[in-house]
Amino acid sequence: MEHNGYITETEIGGAANGPLAGTTVAVKDNLSTEGVRTTCGSAMLAEYVPPFDATVVERVKNAGATIPGKTNMDEFGMGTTTETSAFGPVENPAAPGHVPGGSSGGSAAVVAAGDADLALGTDTGGSVRCPAAFCGVVGIKPTYGLVSRYGLVAYANSLEQVGPIAPTVAEAAELLEVIAGPDSQDATTRDATDHGTDYDFAAAADGDVDGLSVGVPTELVEGAEEGVREQFWAAIDDLEAAGATHEAVSLPSVEHAVEAYYVIAMGEASSNLARYDGVRYGVSGGYEGDWNETFARSREEGFGEEVKRRVLLGTYALSAGYQEKYYKKAQDARAWVQQDFDSAFETVDVLASPTMPVTPFELGESLDDPLKMYLADANTTPVNLANLPAISVPVGETDGLPVGMQLVGPAFGEKAIIRAGSALA
Ligand code: GLN
C-alpha cells in the first residue's frame, strides 16, 4: 500500500461473532500467524511461516476480527523509525516525508491511514508509544505480564509487551480487553484480578478526571523540543479544566534509563538472536563442512546493520570480563528507576510527560546517527525498565507534526491511564 505499512497483505478471518466482529486488526510482523509468513522485518526470516498463532492473534481472531495484514517494522523491533526494516521504510501518513516512528511504525501508519481499524504492536522500549505519538494515534504499553508474549518473536523478553494501537483511547482499551489476561503458555503472565483490578478497560474510557492528581516529572519535560512542550502543557491545562490537578515530581534515576535500557536490551537480544543459525531458522549460509563458517555466513547475509551492531554490543556487555561493569550496573539502574516510580506513585495517581521529546524525523535523517535515535527513547524506556503501563495520546501538532502525551500508571493501573487519556482523545 501507499505508505508501505504492510509487509504482507492477507485476509485472516475470525470468529463469526464477538466484541471485534466487523473490525480489522493489523498485526505487527513479529507476532506469529499460523500459515502466514512472519518476517520480523528481517531478510533472515523472509520465508519463515510459523506453524502456530501467537496467543494475542488467537484472541483477536476469537473476538471476531479480521486480520488484513502483517505490518512493517524495524528489524526485530530494533529501531525508532521503521527504517531498519529489510522491506523498506514506512512513510508517516500524518506527516508526509517523515518517519512514522518505530519499531511498530507499520501498525501505527495503517491505523492513521485508515487501512486498518486497529492494530497490534509490541513495545520493548517505546515501540507502541513512539509510533502512536508520531502518527497522531493512541497506543498502550501494558503492565509487564498483563498480555501474553507467547508467539511473539523475542527481542528483549524482560522488557517487552504486546499493545494496542487505535484512533481513540476507547478503541485501544477495547482491544486491550481482548488480548489481556493470563496464558498457560507464558509463565510471566499475571492475573490482573490478583492485583486489585478487573479487565473492564473499555468502560474506564469515560473521560472522568475529576480529582485526579497528575505528577509531571521535571526530567522528562525539560529535554523536549519547545513546540512539543507547548502542546504538552496545553494538554495539562485541558486535564485541569476537566477537574484534575498537577504537580511537579522528580525521578532522578531516569537520566540513566536510556543507557541501562540499551545494555539490557542488547544483552537479551544477543542471546535471543543466537538461534538464527541458518539451520533451525533463517537463511542458510550453505553447508560446506564448517559449522562456524556456515553460521557466520548466514548471519552476515540475513541480518541488517543495526541488528549486527546490537548483537556485537550485547555480546560484549555480557562477556565474562565485562558483565559486572555493564550488565550488572544496568540492572542496578533498573532497580533504581523502579524505586523512583514507586515513590512518585505514593503522592500522585498518574505521571504525564511528552511521549517523545522530538517530532518525527525526516525520512533518512537519523539512520547514520544511532546515538541520536537511541536518545529519542528517553521518556519511553524508563517505563519498560519499571514494568509499568503507559498510554500515548495525541495532543495536537507543532509545525504540522503530531505530538503525543504519555501517561504512566502504577503496575496494573491501566484503568487510571485509560480514564485520563480518554479525557484528551
Ligand atoms: N527504540 C527502542 C529500541 O530500538 C525501542 C524498540 C522497541 O520498543 N521494540 O530498542
Side-chain angles (χ1 to χ4, degrees):
M1 283 219 186
E2 209 185 331
H3 306 286
N4 201 27
Y6 288 113
I7 290 175
T8 304
E9 287 184 67
T10 172
E11 195 182 311
I12 307 173
N17 298 302
L20 296 181
T23 308
T24 52
V25 179
V27 172
K28 189 176 181 180
D29 213 20
N30 59 353
L31 293 163
S32 303
T33 39
E34 183 182 351
V36 175
R37 73 170 177 163
T38 298
T39 69
C40 293
S42 181
M44 184 65 96
L45 294 178
E47 310 294 334
Y48 171 61
V49 178
F52 68 108
D53 277 335
T55 297
V56 290
V57 168
E58 194 179 281
R59 289 184 181 178
V60 158
K61 284 162 68 174
N62 289 342
T66 301
I67 298 173
K70 305 295 298 292
T71 59
N72 206 345
M73 56 180 284
D74 281 299
E75 187 175 5
F76 288 102
M78 300 176 189
T80 310
T81 64
T82 311
E83 292 169 297
T84 73
S85 169
F87 297 85
V90 176
E91 186 174 40
N92 186 335
H98 294 74
V99 302
S103 63
S104 313
S107 289
V110 298
V111 170
D115 292 333
D117 298 318
L118 308 168
L120 291 179
T122 61
D123 191 311
T124 312
S127 283
V128 163
R129 291 160 287 158
C130 161
F134 279 7
C135 293
V137 294
V138 174
I140 301 176
K141 181 263 172 206
T143 304
Y144 189 82
L146 183 73
V147 177
S148 170
R149 288 179 298 109
Y150 179 68
L152 158 63
V153 181
Y155 157 21
N157 323 44
S158 81
L159 296 159
E160 56 209 5
Q161 280 286 292
V162 181
I165 295 178
T168 64
V169 173
E171 291 162 290
E174 201 180 340
L175 180 53
L176 180 62
E177 211 169 295
V178 165
I179 60 173
D183 177 12
S184 58
Q185 306 270 32
D186 175 359
T188 64
T189 52
R190 295 283 171 271
D191 190 340
T193 60
D194 295 336
H195 298 268
T197 184
D198 57 40
Y199 294 94
D200 296 338
F201 300 126
D206 59 9
D208 180 6
V209 293
D210 198 25
L212 183 84
S213 62
V214 180
V216 179
T218 320
E219 297 84 354
L220 301 184
V221 182
E222 271 171 351
E225 284 173 7
E226 195 187 331
V228 171
R229 272 185 281 134
E230 277 169 21
Q231 297 305 314
F232 169 75
W233 286 115
I236 292 285
D237 288 347
D238 291 345
L239 287 174
E240 292 205 316
T245 55
H246 91 272
E247 63 188 88
V249 299
S250 181
L251 301 172
S253 63
V254 298
E255 69 167 297
H256 305 289
V258 169
E259 285 94 331
Y261 166 80
Y262 275 96
V263 169
I264 294 169
M266 291 182 189
E268 292 186 23
S270 70
S271 165
N272 277 320
L273 269 54
R275 77 191 59 165
Y276 303 105
D277 54 10
V279 177
R280 292 168 302 170
Y281 300 99
V283 292
S284 170
Y287 181 67
E288 285 171 18
D290 182 334
W291 160 254
N292 286 328
E293 174 83 5
T294 305
F295 181 81
R297 214 184 292 165
S298 59
R299 293 162 72 84
E300 165 62 31
E301 277 173 32
F303 288 150
E305 195 180 330
E306 183 62 27
V307 171
K308 285 176 186 156
R309 172 164 33 244
R310 294 190 186 202
V311 168
L312 287 172
L313 288 170
T315 304
Y316 179 77
L318 293 181
S319 61
Y322 290 99
Q323 58 148 313
E324 290 281 312
K325 196 170 164 196
Y326 297 112
Y327 188 70
K328 171 77 172 47
K329 277 232 170 85
Q331 293 292 14
D332 290 347
R334 184 173 189 171
W336 184 19
V337 171
Q338 289 167 348
Q339 282 167 17
D340 267 0
F341 275 109
D342 283 349
S343 38
F345 287 122
E346 280 169 18
T347 56
V348 296
D349 300 320
V350 298
L351 294 168
S353 74
T355 305
M356 301 298 289
V358 293
T359 48
F361 307 116
E362 283 176 25
L363 280 161
E365 186 187 334
S366 66
L367 262 190
D368 297 331
D369 192 352
L371 203 56
K372 174 175 171 181
M373 197 175 81
Y374 300 163
L375 289 171
D377 297 335
N379 291 3
T380 50
T381 51
V383 177
N384 301 74
L385 290 172
N387 303 326
L388 299 174
I391 190 170
S392 178
V393 295
V395 293
E397 295 189 340
T398 175
D399 290 332
L401 300 171
V403 174
M405 175 191 261
Q406 167 173 261
L407 294 156
V408 186
F412 296 97
E414 271 75 5
K415 286 180 137 183
I417 56 170
I418 287 167
R419 185 161 280 129
S422 67
L424 298 167

